Amino acid sequence: MLTQQELSQWIQEYDVADIEEGEVDLGNIAWKRCFTSDLPRAEKTARKIYQGPITVTKALREIPICPLFRNQEVKLPLWAWGLIMRGAWLCNHRSQIEVKQDVQRRLTDVIDEIMSRNGEDTLIVSHGILMVSMRQELLKRGFKGPRLGTPANGRMYVFEK
């Protein structure tokens, strides 16, 4: 059970925590480039699994969640906070600092940049909910790929055109 303040602290600690050791299956693909979020966990992951130059960008950051309730003493389980905060974001609740349109704009811009290289296989290291939004943008652009549900840490999802 966490308060909103404890949740915010947990998220900050998670973002800078060490990554779990283990192999990431890159699918025997000769990746030409790598883009990653600038949050420490994503950048650490990218540097562990990709040996070439990496483009680090704020555009691939996880969608931030912001406190929702005025009563700071409300305690909920972590999973409940996730549902409530993501629901607030999906509904463009005024408590959230980045609305869906802002996320869509930054995803459109970064995908335009990635695709400007005419089909180079590009590895993208990002975060769960942002990956779900990115999947939607890729499908709009004619890519095919798996359903994500809740994306797993350290798992690769391939989208092809």
Side-chain angles (χ1 to χ4, degrees):
M1 301 290 281
L2 302 168
T3 65
Q4 290 179 107
Q5 184 175 5
E6 291 167 336
L7 174 67
S8 294
Q9 181 66 34
W10 182 89
I11 291 168
Q12 288 174 359
E13 290 172 5
Y14 178 78
D15 284 341
V16 298
D18 284 333
I19 58 174
E20 294 178 18
E21 291 299 318
E23 291 298 314
V24 175
D25 180 6
L26 296 178
N28 294 322
I29 298 170
W31 300 105
K32 305 289 189 259
R33 301 181 298 157
C34 179
F35 280 70
T36 186
S37 159
D38 66 343
L39 291 177
R41 284 181 57 82
E43 190 173 347
K44 286 178 193 176
T45 299
R47 296 201 185 284
K48 179 171 176 41
I49 64 175
Y50 185 76
Q51 303 310 309
I54 298 172
T55 302
V56 179
T57 176
K58 187 176 180 176
L60 291 171
R61 276 187 174 203
E62 181 62 288
I63 300 164
I65 58 173
C66 303
L68 186 62
F69 302 120
R70 291 178 195 251
N71 180 349
Q72 296 295 313
E73 299 307 313
V74 172
K75 285 192 169 197
L76 296 171
L78 183 60
W79 66 266
W81 279 119
L83 285 175
I84 290 169
M85 297 295 198
R86 287 299 171 219
W89 177 78
L90 284 169
C91 295
N92 286 320
H93 190 272
R94 60 184 163 79
S95 65
Q96 304 307 296
I97 60 173
E98 188 176 34
V99 296
K100 288 188 294 187
Q101 294 82 0
D102 294 338
V103 172
Q104 188 59 46
R105 194 173 308 113
R106 72 176 158 106
L107 272 176
T108 299
D109 291 348
V110 76
I111 292 172
D112 285 346
E113 180 182 351
I114 291 167
M115 291 183 66
S116 70
R117 294 275 183 103
N118 297 327
E120 285 185 346
D121 289 334
T122 302
L123 181 64
I124 300 172
V125 180
S126 191
H127 309 276
I129 299 301
L130 187 74
M131 289 171 54
V132 172
S133 296
M134 188 181 319
R135 177 187 183 271
Q136 293 170 340
E137 179 64 23
L138 291 171
L139 293 177
K140 284 183 201 173
R141 294 173 184 236
F143 283 81
K144 297 200 183 309
R147 292 183 188 267
L148 298 183
T150 302
N153 285 344
R155 180 164 177 211
M156 186 175 70
Y157 300 91
V158 176
F159 289 81
E160 297 178 291
K161 194 165 191 180

Short mmCIF file of all heavy atoms in Angstrom, two decimals, residues 112-157:
data_model
loop_
_atom_site.label_atom_id
_atom_site.label_comp_id
_atom_site.label_asym_id
_atom_site.label_seq_id
_atom_site.Cartn_x
_atom_site.Cartn_y
_atom_site.Cartn_z
N ASP A 112 9.22 9.70 -37.24
CA ASP A 112 9.62 10.35 -38.49
C ASP A 112 11.14 10.39 -38.61
O ASP A 112 11.71 10.09 -39.66
CB ASP A 112 9.08 11.79 -38.56
CG ASP A 112 7.60 11.86 -38.87
OD1 ASP A 112 7.00 10.85 -39.28
OD2 ASP A 112 7.03 12.97 -38.67
N GLU A 113 11.81 10.75 -37.50
CA GLU A 113 13.28 10.80 -37.50
C GLU A 113 13.88 9.42 -37.75
O GLU A 113 14.80 9.26 -38.55
CB GLU A 113 13.79 11.35 -36.17
CG GLU A 113 15.30 11.44 -36.08
CD GLU A 113 15.79 11.93 -34.74
OE1 GLU A 113 15.00 12.38 -33.90
OE2 GLU A 113 17.02 11.86 -34.53
N ILE A 114 13.35 8.41 -37.08
CA ILE A 114 13.86 7.05 -37.25
C ILE A 114 13.65 6.58 -38.67
O ILE A 114 14.55 5.98 -39.29
CB ILE A 114 13.18 6.10 -36.23
CG1 ILE A 114 13.67 6.44 -34.81
CG2 ILE A 114 13.45 4.65 -36.58
CD1 ILE A 114 12.86 5.78 -33.71
N MET A 115 12.50 6.85 -39.25
CA MET A 115 12.19 6.37 -40.59
C MET A 115 12.87 7.19 -41.69
O MET A 115 12.88 6.76 -42.85
CB MET A 115 10.67 6.37 -40.80
CG MET A 115 9.99 5.30 -39.94
SD MET A 115 8.23 5.20 -40.20
CE MET A 115 8.19 4.62 -41.89
N SER A 116 13.47 8.29 -41.34
CA SER A 116 14.14 9.11 -42.36
C SER A 116 15.35 8.42 -42.98
O SER A 116 15.90 8.88 -43.97
CB SER A 116 14.56 10.46 -41.75
OG SER A 116 15.62 10.27 -40.83
N ARG A 117 15.75 7.30 -42.42
CA ARG A 117 16.91 6.56 -42.92
C ARG A 117 16.54 5.46 -43.91
O ARG A 117 17.29 4.53 -44.11
CB ARG A 117 17.69 5.96 -41.76
CG ARG A 117 18.32 6.99 -40.87
CD ARG A 117 19.66 7.44 -41.40
NE ARG A 117 20.29 8.37 -40.51
CZ ARG A 117 21.28 8.07 -39.69
NH1 ARG A 117 21.76 6.85 -39.65
NH2 ARG A 117 21.79 8.98 -38.92
N ASN A 118 15.35 5.51 -44.46
CA ASN A 118 14.93 4.60 -45.52
C ASN A 118 15.12 3.12 -45.21
O ASN A 118 15.86 2.42 -45.88
CB ASN A 118 15.64 4.95 -46.84
CG ASN A 118 15.25 6.32 -47.31
OD1 ASN A 118 14.14 6.76 -47.10
ND2 ASN A 118 16.18 7.01 -47.96
N GLY A 119 14.44 2.67 -44.19
CA GLY A 119 14.37 1.23 -43.97
C GLY A 119 15.51 0.59 -43.22
O GLY A 119 15.60 -0.63 -43.21
N GLU A 120 16.38 1.36 -42.59
CA GLU A 120 17.43 0.72 -41.80
C GLU A 120 16.80 0.06 -40.58
O GLU A 120 15.95 0.64 -39.91
CB GLU A 120 18.46 1.75 -41.32
CG GLU A 120 19.40 2.23 -42.39
CD GLU A 120 20.47 3.15 -41.82
OE1 GLU A 120 20.33 3.63 -40.68
OE2 GLU A 120 21.45 3.39 -42.54
N ASP A 121 17.22 -1.17 -40.31
CA ASP A 121 16.72 -1.87 -39.12
C ASP A 121 17.17 -1.11 -37.89
O ASP A 121 18.37 -0.93 -37.65
CB ASP A 121 17.25 -3.30 -39.08
CG ASP A 121 16.63 -4.18 -40.14
OD1 ASP A 121 15.50 -3.88 -40.58
OD2 ASP A 121 17.26 -5.18 -40.54
N THR A 122 16.20 -0.65 -37.10
CA THR A 122 16.48 0.22 -35.96
C THR A 122 15.94 -0.40 -34.69
O THR A 122 14.76 -0.74 -34.60
CB THR A 122 15.86 1.61 -36.18
OG1 THR A 122 16.38 2.16 -37.39
CG2 THR A 122 16.19 2.54 -35.03
N LEU A 123 16.81 -0.53 -33.70
CA LEU A 123 16.44 -1.02 -32.39
C LEU A 123 15.99 0.17 -31.54
O LEU A 123 16.68 1.19 -31.49
CB LEU A 123 17.66 -1.70 -31.75
CG LEU A 123 17.48 -2.30 -30.36
CD1 LEU A 123 16.48 -3.45 -30.40
CD2 LEU A 123 18.83 -2.78 -29.84
N ILE A 124 14.82 0.04 -30.90
CA ILE A 124 14.31 1.11 -30.05
C ILE A 124 14.15 0.55 -28.64
O ILE A 124 13.48 -0.47 -28.45
CB ILE A 124 12.95 1.64 -30.56
CG1 ILE A 124 13.10 2.19 -31.98
CG2 ILE A 124 12.40 2.70 -29.61
CD1 ILE A 124 11.77 2.56 -32.63
N VAL A 125 14.75 1.22 -27.67
CA VAL A 125 14.63 0.81 -26.27
C VAL A 125 13.80 1.88 -25.57
O VAL A 125 14.19 3.04 -25.51
CB VAL A 125 16.01 0.66 -25.60
CG1 VAL A 125 15.86 0.24 -24.14
CG2 VAL A 125 16.88 -0.34 -26.37
N SER A 126 12.64 1.46 -25.07
CA SER A 126 11.74 2.42 -24.47
C SER A 126 11.01 1.80 -23.29
O SER A 126 11.54 0.89 -22.66
CB SER A 126 10.76 2.94 -25.54
OG SER A 126 10.04 4.05 -25.05
N HIS A 127 9.79 2.25 -23.03
CA HIS A 127 9.06 1.89 -21.82
C HIS A 127 7.65 1.40 -22.15
O HIS A 127 7.09 1.77 -23.18
CB HIS A 127 8.97 3.09 -20.88
CG HIS A 127 10.30 3.71 -20.62
ND1 HIS A 127 11.16 3.25 -19.66
CD2 HIS A 127 10.93 4.75 -21.22
CE1 HIS A 127 12.27 3.98 -19.67
NE2 HIS A 127 12.15 4.89 -20.61
N GLY A 128 7.07 0.63 -21.24
CA GLY A 128 5.81 -0.06 -21.41
C GLY A 128 4.67 0.67 -22.08
O GLY A 128 4.28 0.34 -23.20
N ILE A 129 4.09 1.65 -21.40
CA ILE A 129 2.91 2.30 -21.95
C ILE A 129 3.26 3.09 -23.20
O ILE A 129 2.49 3.15 -24.16
CB ILE A 129 2.23 3.20 -20.89
CG1 ILE A 129 1.78 2.36 -19.69
CG2 ILE A 129 1.07 3.96 -21.48
CD1 ILE A 129 0.78 1.26 -20.03
N LEU A 130 4.45 3.68 -23.24
CA LEU A 130 4.85 4.39 -24.46
C LEU A 130 4.95 3.42 -25.63
O LEU A 130 4.59 3.75 -26.75
CB LEU A 130 6.18 5.12 -24.26
CG LEU A 130 6.54 6.00 -25.45
CD1 LEU A 130 5.68 7.26 -25.46
CD2 LEU A 130 7.99 6.36 -25.46
N MET A 131 5.41 2.19 -25.36
CA MET A 131 5.50 1.19 -26.43
C MET A 131 4.13 0.84 -26.99
O MET A 131 3.98 0.61 -28.19
CB MET A 131 6.21 -0.06 -25.92
CG MET A 131 7.69 0.15 -25.67
SD MET A 131 8.50 -1.23 -24.82
CE MET A 131 8.08 -2.61 -25.85
N VAL A 132 3.12 0.82 -26.13
CA VAL A 132 1.76 0.55 -26.60
C VAL A 132 1.31 1.66 -27.55
O VAL A 132 0.75 1.40 -28.62
CB VAL A 132 0.79 0.39 -25.40
CG1 VAL A 132 -0.65 0.30 -25.87
CG2 VAL A 132 1.17 -0.83 -24.57
N SER A 133 1.59 2.91 -27.19
CA SER A 133 1.26 4.04 -28.07
C SER A 133 2.08 4.00 -29.35
O SER A 133 1.58 4.31 -30.43
CB SER A 133 1.48 5.37 -27.34
OG SER A 133 0.60 5.48 -26.24
N MET A 134 3.36 3.62 -29.24
CA MET A 134 4.22 3.53 -30.41
C MET A 134 3.71 2.45 -31.37
O MET A 134 3.73 2.64 -32.58
CB MET A 134 5.66 3.21 -29.98
CG MET A 134 6.65 3.29 -31.12
SD MET A 134 8.35 2.88 -30.63
CE MET A 134 8.53 3.66 -29.06
N ARG A 135 3.24 1.35 -30.83
CA ARG A 135 2.68 0.28 -31.67
C ARG A 135 1.53 0.82 -32.51
O ARG A 135 1.45 0.55 -33.71
CB ARG A 135 2.19 -0.87 -30.79
CG ARG A 135 1.51 -1.98 -31.59
CD ARG A 135 0.89 -3.04 -30.68
NE ARG A 135 0.33 -4.10 -31.46
CZ ARG A 135 -0.93 -4.11 -31.92
NH1 ARG A 135 -1.74 -3.11 -31.67
NH2 ARG A 135 -1.36 -5.13 -32.65
N GLN A 136 0.65 1.60 -31.90
CA GLN A 136 -0.49 2.17 -32.63
C GLN A 136 0.00 3.05 -33.78
O GLN A 136 -0.54 3.00 -34.88
CB GLN A 136 -1.38 2.97 -31.68
CG GLN A 136 -2.09 2.10 -30.67
CD GLN A 136 -2.79 2.91 -29.59
OE1 GLN A 136 -2.49 4.07 -29.35
NE2 GLN A 136 -3.74 2.27 -28.91
N GLU A 137 1.02 3.86 -33.52
CA GLU A 137 1.56 4.73 -34.57
C GLU A 137 2.20 3.91 -35.69
O GLU A 137 2.04 4.22 -36.86
CB GLU A 137 2.57 5.71 -33.98
CG GLU A 137 3.21 6.64 -34.97
CD GLU A 137 2.23 7.60 -35.65
OE1 GLU A 137 1.16 7.89 -35.09
OE2 GLU A 137 2.56 8.09 -36.75
N LEU A 138 2.92 2.86 -35.34
CA LEU A 138 3.54 2.02 -36.36
C LEU A 138 2.49 1.31 -37.21
O LEU A 138 2.65 1.21 -38.43
CB LEU A 138 4.49 1.01 -35.71
CG LEU A 138 5.76 1.60 -35.10
CD1 LEU A 138 6.51 0.54 -34.29
CD2 LEU A 138 6.66 2.22 -36.15
N LEU A 139 1.44 0.83 -36.58
CA LEU A 139 0.37 0.17 -37.34
C LEU A 139 -0.27 1.15 -38.33
O LEU A 139 -0.56 0.78 -39.47
CB LEU A 139 -0.69 -0.41 -36.40
CG LEU A 139 -0.25 -1.58 -35.52
CD1 LEU A 139 -1.38 -2.00 -34.60
CD2 LEU A 139 0.25 -2.75 -36.34
N LYS A 140 -0.46 2.40 -37.92
CA LYS A 140 -1.01 3.43 -38.82
C LYS A 140 -0.11 3.63 -40.04
O LYS A 140 -0.59 3.99 -41.10
CB LYS A 140 -1.13 4.78 -38.10
CG LYS A 140 -2.25 4.90 -37.14
CD LYS A 140 -2.25 6.32 -36.58
CE LYS A 140 -2.99 6.42 -35.29
NZ LYS A 140 -2.85 7.73 -34.68
N ARG A 141 1.18 3.40 -39.85
CA ARG A 141 2.15 3.61 -40.92
C ARG A 141 2.39 2.35 -41.76
O ARG A 141 3.30 2.30 -42.57
CB ARG A 141 3.47 4.11 -40.34
CG ARG A 141 3.35 5.49 -39.73
CD ARG A 141 4.63 5.87 -39.03
NE ARG A 141 4.53 7.15 -38.36
CZ ARG A 141 5.34 8.18 -38.58
NH1 ARG A 141 6.33 8.06 -39.46
NH2 ARG A 141 5.18 9.29 -37.93
N GLY A 142 1.58 1.34 -41.55
CA GLY A 142 1.67 0.14 -42.37
C GLY A 142 2.57 -0.96 -41.84
O GLY A 142 2.83 -1.95 -42.53
N PHE A 143 3.04 -0.83 -40.63
CA PHE A 143 3.86 -1.88 -40.03
C PHE A 143 2.97 -2.98 -39.49
O PHE A 143 1.80 -2.76 -39.18
CB PHE A 143 4.72 -1.32 -38.88
CG PHE A 143 5.91 -0.54 -39.34
CD1 PHE A 143 5.78 0.78 -39.73
CD2 PHE A 143 7.17 -1.12 -39.38
CE1 PHE A 143 6.87 1.51 -40.15
CE2 PHE A 143 8.27 -0.40 -39.79
CZ PHE A 143 8.12 0.92 -40.18
N LYS A 144 3.54 -4.15 -39.36
CA LYS A 144 2.85 -5.28 -38.74
C LYS A 144 3.72 -5.74 -37.58
O LYS A 144 4.94 -5.74 -37.65
CB LYS A 144 2.66 -6.40 -39.73
CG LYS A 144 1.78 -6.00 -40.91
CD LYS A 144 1.21 -7.21 -41.61
CE LYS A 144 0.39 -6.85 -42.83
NZ LYS A 144 -0.63 -5.86 -42.65
N GLY A 145 3.05 -6.12 -36.49
CA GLY A 145 3.78 -6.58 -35.33
C GLY A 145 2.84 -7.14 -34.29
O GLY A 145 1.62 -7.10 -34.46
N PRO A 146 3.40 -7.66 -33.21
CA PRO A 146 2.59 -8.35 -32.20
C PRO A 146 1.74 -7.39 -31.36
O PRO A 146 2.05 -6.20 -31.25
CB PRO A 146 3.66 -9.02 -31.32
CG PRO A 146 4.83 -8.12 -31.43
CD PRO A 146 4.82 -7.62 -32.86
N ARG A 147 0.70 -7.96 -30.78
CA ARG A 147 -0.03 -7.23 -29.74
C ARG A 147 0.91 -7.17 -28.54
O ARG A 147 1.68 -8.09 -28.32
CB ARG A 147 -1.31 -7.95 -29.37
CG ARG A 147 -2.32 -7.96 -30.47
CD ARG A 147 -3.59 -8.65 -29.96
NE ARG A 147 -4.53 -8.84 -31.05
CZ ARG A 147 -5.50 -7.99 -31.36
NH1 ARG A 147 -5.65 -6.89 -30.68
NH2 ARG A 147 -6.30 -8.24 -32.37
N LEU A 148 0.80 -6.10 -27.76
CA LEU A 148 1.74 -5.97 -26.66
C LEU A 148 1.14 -6.30 -25.30
O LEU A 148 1.84 -6.77 -24.42
CB LEU A 148 2.33 -4.56 -26.62
CG LEU A 148 3.14 -4.15 -27.84
CD1 LEU A 148 3.74 -2.78 -27.64
CD2 LEU A 148 4.24 -5.15 -28.13
N GLY A 149 -0.15 -6.04 -25.09
CA GLY A 149 -0.69 -6.22 -23.73
C GLY A 149 0.12 -5.34 -22.80
O GLY A 149 0.21 -4.14 -22.98
N THR A 150 0.74 -5.95 -21.82
CA THR A 150 1.69 -5.26 -20.96
C THR A 150 3.08 -5.70 -21.39
O THR A 150 3.47 -6.85 -21.15
CB THR A 150 1.46 -5.61 -19.47
OG1 THR A 150 0.13 -5.26 -19.12
CG2 THR A 150 2.45 -4.88 -18.58
N PRO A 151 3.85 -4.82 -22.05
CA PRO A 151 5.17 -5.22 -22.53
C PRO A 151 6.08 -5.69 -21.38
O PRO A 151 6.09 -5.10 -20.31
CB PRO A 151 5.72 -3.95 -23.17
CG PRO A 151 4.50 -3.15 -23.51
CD PRO A 151 3.52 -3.45 -22.43
N ALA A 152 6.82 -6.75 -21.63
CA ALA A 152 7.72 -7.31 -20.62
C ALA A 152 9.07 -6.61 -20.67
O ALA A 152 9.53 -6.21 -21.73
CB ALA A 152 7.90 -8.81 -20.88
N ASN A 153 9.70 -6.49 -19.52
CA ASN A 153 11.05 -5.92 -19.45
C ASN A 153 12.03 -6.80 -20.21
O ASN A 153 12.00 -8.03 -20.07
CB ASN A 153 11.53 -5.80 -18.01
CG ASN A 153 10.89 -4.67 -17.26
OD1 ASN A 153 10.31 -3.77 -17.85
ND2 ASN A 153 10.98 -4.72 -15.94
N GLY A 154 12.89 -6.19 -21.01
CA GLY A 154 13.95 -6.92 -21.69
C GLY A 154 13.48 -7.82 -22.82
O GLY A 154 14.24 -8.67 -23.26
N ARG A 155 12.26 -7.66 -23.27
CA ARG A 155 11.76 -8.49 -24.37
C ARG A 155 11.68 -7.63 -25.63
O ARG A 155 11.27 -6.49 -25.59
CB ARG A 155 10.39 -9.04 -24.04
CG ARG A 155 9.86 -9.90 -25.16
CD ARG A 155 8.72 -10.76 -24.75
NE ARG A 155 8.27 -11.47 -25.93
CZ ARG A 155 7.04 -11.85 -26.12
NH1 ARG A 155 6.12 -11.61 -25.22
NH2 ARG A 155 6.70 -12.47 -27.22
N MET A 156 12.07 -8.23 -26.75
CA MET A 156 12.05 -7.51 -28.01
C MET A 156 10.75 -7.81 -28.74
O MET A 156 10.28 -8.94 -28.77
CB MET A 156 13.22 -7.92 -28.89
CG MET A 156 13.31 -7.09 -30.15
SD MET A 156 14.75 -7.45 -31.14
CE MET A 156 14.35 -9.06 -31.75
N TYR A 157 10.18 -6.76 -29.32
CA TYR A 157 8.98 -6.86 -30.14
C TYR A 157 9.35 -6.31 -31.52
O TYR A 157 9.78 -5.17 -31.62
CB TYR A 157 7.83 -6.05 -29.54
CG TYR A 157 7.46 -6.52 -28.15
CD1 TYR A 157 8.06 -5.96 -27.02
CD2 TYR A 157 6.53 -7.53 -27.96
CE1 TYR A 157 7.72 -6.39 -25.74
CE2 TYR A 157 6.20 -7.97 -26.70
CZ TYR A 157 6.79 -7.39 -25.59
OH TYR A 157 6.46 -7.83 -24.33
#
